[in-house]
Amino acid sequence: MLVDVSDGVATLTLHRPEQHNALSRALREALVAALTSLATDDQVGVVILTGAGEKAFCAGADLKEMEHAPLQPEDLGPDAPLMRAFRALRKPTIAAINGFALTGGFELALNCDILVASTRARFADTHARVGLVAAWGLTQHLPRLIGPVRARYLSFTGNYLDAETALAWGLVLAVVPPDGLMPRCHGIARDILGCDKDALRDVGEAIAHGLGCSLDEGLVFEGALARRSLERFDVSSFVGRRAATLARGKAQVVPRPAGRESRPPGHGQELRE
């Protein structure tokens, strides 16, 4: 596991390229340790997760290791160390999918907030083909992202999904050339870092909570967070933030040709860059 922290962004790289970054027990433990450490690092506001090499983001659990050291019950489900570490992070996460994201590796990506794919990215859920059931959230996250019919298709067949289709289905935010993947992800991270940290955390929690409850319950939760944000509201800092936000918005507006609506740069252009 490689950890690089720069300008408020932590980049975690699964580093077993010869094994397609398969999740051995040692690598899982290293990832948990990294996420746990970053959760309390006030200098880090965004975490990017990617894989080493050009072929794979992560091929899932190390099947060769599982032949003699299989996963244990405590490694699975919402109380597994990996799942707890993602929940406890409470910072925006970006998955930079540089290649194959398979089975458990697919689940890793789905535990991130925003997915960005290289044109080389491929996704597949082969749990059922090897006689297993997803244990790190795939059966719950995937239908919410792409709909139950498409999720069933992927999980029932184990078929591979290319990057362009993943974009069309709403699984990923953008598909970019391989050499543009990390710059794009770091650009998104810089945009995120411009937000108030406390508000950003609450917005993330409101979205996550709402995905698991009714609309009415979600609105109540949002209202509670909104009231909490008022308690920490500071007028002096708001004035500066408001001015910076307005200036940023003006800079993003593209002058529109006659008869066409203005829109921010990149709008509708996420397919190819």
Side-chain angles (χ1 to χ4, degrees), residues 187-245:
I188 295 170
R190 287 192 297 272
D191 287 343
I192 293 171
L193 289 174
C195 294
D196 177 82
K197 287 184 178 180
D198 292 328
L200 191 63
R201 182 193 62 242
D202 286 352
V203 169
E205 290 188 359
I207 293 172
H209 184 85
L211 288 171
C213 68
S214 70
L215 175 60
D216 286 343
E217 291 170 330
L219 291 172
V220 169
F221 187 77
E222 179 191 73
L225 293 178
R227 288 189 290 274
R228 189 167 73 184
S229 72
L230 283 179
E231 294 173 0
R232 60 175 183 262
F233 183 76
D234 179 73
V235 175
S236 59
S237 63
F238 171 75
V239 172
R241 282 190 170 275
R242 178 179 180 273
T245 300

Side-chain angles (χ1 to χ4, degrees), residues 94-116:
I94 302 169
I97 313 298
N98 55 305
F100 291 105
L102 310 180
T103 316
F106 196 175
E107 293 192 276
L108 275 190
L110 292 173
N111 275 280
C112 294
D113 296 310
I114 298 171
L115 282 66
V116 181

Side-chain angles (χ1 to χ4, degrees), residues 50-128:
T50 192
E54 299 180 351
K55 293 183 178 180
F57 170 77
C58 178
D62 189 327
L63 297 182
K64 289 186 177 180
E65 182 181 78
M66 287 183 63
E67 292 177 1
H68 59 83
L71 292 166
Q72 299 299 306
E74 58 269 22
D75 298 321
L76 311 176
D79 290 328
L82 188 60
M83 297 288 283
R84 292 203 309 269
F86 269 106
R87 287 199 305 274
L89 182 60
R90 302 182 75 197
K91 297 178 181 183
T93 49
I94 302 169
I97 313 298
N98 55 305
F100 291 105
L102 310 180
T103 316
F106 196 175
E107 293 192 276
L108 275 190
L110 292 173
N111 275 280
C112 294
D113 296 310
I114 298 171
L115 282 66
V116 181
S118 154
T119 51
R120 293 175 177 160
R122 297 292 184 272
F123 302 87
D125 175 22
T126 61
H127 281 100

